[in-house]
Amino acid sequence: AEIKHGRVAMMAALGGVVQHFVKFPSFDAVPTGLSAVSTAPGTYGFVALFLAAGALELGPWSENPSKEPGNFGDPVGLNQYTEGPSGKA
């Protein structure tokens, strides 16, 4: 759980910086910062992200009990997953 929470914290920190510089075309009227969650259409974007993250957590991004925590192998198929000398990633 610690690995996943660390990754979420890194993405949240990056999102906090990027959201000031990048806006989607239909979300121009939405304010930046936390007030975007309570202003339409920012609320719709928040709900969409929340549902997408929940679906990914319950489906393809769930932990495999036969692997060590955080080991998802090469889920996208980019062939960047290599095993080390001990046979582990």
Side-chain angles (χ1 to χ4, degrees), residues 26-47:
S26 60
F27 292 90
D28 290 333
V30 177
T32 59
L34 291 176
S35 59
V37 178
S38 62
T39 306
T43 309
Y44 310 137
F46 173 72
V47 170

Side-chain angles (χ1 to χ4, degrees), residues 16-72:
V17 174
V18 171
Q19 59 105 10
H20 285 288
F21 301 107
V22 177
K23 285 202 176 233
F24 291 116
S26 60
F27 292 90
D28 290 333
V30 177
T32 59
L34 291 176
S35 59
V37 178
S38 62
T39 306
T43 309
Y44 310 137
F46 173 72
V47 170
L49 287 174
F50 186 80
L51 292 175
L56 288 170
E57 284 290 325
L58 294 174
W61 288 352
S62 59
E63 292 282 343
N64 187 349
S66 66
K67 296 180 180 178
E68 56 271 345
N71 182 1
F72 293 102

